[in-house]
Amino acid sequence: MAKKYDQKQVEELLYQALETEQGGIKIYETAITCAVNDDLRKEWGEYLEETKTHEKVLLNVFESLGLDPATRPPGREVVGHIGNSLVSAMEMAKAAGDPAAAELVACECVVLAETKDHQNWELIGHVAEKGSGPAIKILKQAHEAVEKDEDHHLYHTKGWCRELWIQSLGLPAVLPPPEEVKKVETAIGASRAEQARDDLLKRH
């Protein structure tokens, strides 16, 4: 049975989600400059464009719900601070002069950002599924437009991060990672892809 949601906290979630997408644009722009692997650079270029689309989806939600996208509640400020810190971390790694190390830092920063982003959309989907109120239809449409991209961004970048780390340790890596090869879109799929990496290594 649908339950009336806490409107103020749903608005807080939406402000944080918008800030995460806007910060994500800057994070991907910086991460791309750290990418050494051509396939990864291309992948992140696609994610950057999709993140710009996600920002537009949320701006449409804000317009539909009569929310001001310029409002900055404290929670949004915190999310913005974390996003700027991730950009600074990548710039610091680049300045150190080791391209492979900077690429690893960029991968980790993207995974951190996408973990928050993925959770935002999971929660928006949860409100749309379990809640009752005037925003439900709008939130459901937004969630359906974005959910698949968010799964892809998180699970695939985690795969890149793991395999680039393995490569840096001097051990055989699967590049592109199994998540790419198997076109993973779910947590279960990501787990299966990781388990299949030994088989993929044998084929290389």
Side-chain angles (χ1 to χ4, degrees):
M1 184 178 167
K3 188 174 188 303
K4 184 157 174 48
Y5 54 80
D6 182 322
Q7 184 171 338
K8 189 177 177 191
Q9 193 62 6
V10 169
E11 289 175 6
E12 171 67 26
L13 173 61
L14 290 171
Y15 280 114
Q16 289 194 22
L18 180 60
E19 189 65 28
T20 305
E21 299 294 358
Q22 290 175 338
I25 292 168
K26 290 184 272 187
I27 287 163
Y28 276 119
E29 285 170 347
T30 310
I32 286 164
T33 68
C34 297
V36 178
N37 185 290
D38 289 337
D39 289 331
L40 179 59
R41 189 182 305 110
K42 182 176 175 234
E43 185 98 350
W44 280 346
E46 291 168 6
Y47 295 179
L48 171 60
E49 293 311 308
E50 287 166 357
T51 301
K52 289 176 180 175
T53 301
H54 301 169
E55 180 197 20
K56 286 177 190 161
V57 168
L58 274 171
L59 288 171
N60 287 338
V61 169
F62 272 65
E63 188 178 350
S64 299
L65 299 180
L67 296 174
D68 179 3
T71 300
R72 301 193 66 83
R76 180 176 183 176
E77 291 289 0
V78 171
V79 171
H81 176 76
I82 292 168
N84 290 332
S85 298
L86 294 175
V87 170
S88 297
M90 288 186 276
E91 287 169 346
M92 188 190 304
K94 259 175 72 180
D98 181 342
E103 182 179 54
L104 273 178
V105 169
C107 256
E108 292 186 339
C109 288
V110 170
V111 169
L112 288 168
E114 286 294 357
T115 299
K116 167 65 173 164
D117 202 5
H118 189 269
Q119 180 174 271
N120 290 341
W121 283 103
E122 240 179 13
L123 291 169
I124 289 167
H126 190 80
V127 174
E129 184 187 347
K130 306 289 185 186
S132 76
I136 291 302
K137 189 177 176 187
I138 294 160
L139 295 179
K140 192 170 191 298
Q141 287 172 341
H143 179 256
E144 285 172 356
V146 169
E147 180 192 22
K148 195 172 178 185
D149 288 347
E150 291 299 340
D151 288 340
H152 190 105
H153 293 186
L154 179 60
Y155 301 131
H156 285 234
T157 301
K158 280 177 85 170
W160 277 103
C161 204
R162 181 192 64 247
E163 296 300 326
L164 288 169
W165 253 111
I166 289 170
Q167 183 182 55
S168 78
L169 295 167
L171 296 169
V174 180
L175 292 168
E179 288 81 355
E180 288 281 293
V181 176
K182 298 198 172 281
K183 304 189 186 322
V184 162
E185 304 293 350
T186 65
I188 292 170
S191 176
R192 285 178 182 152
E194 187 174 355
Q195 287 165 12
R197 67 179 304 279
D198 287 344
D199 290 336
L200 289 167
L201 265 180
K202 286 172 193 168
R203 294 181 212 167
H204 275 224

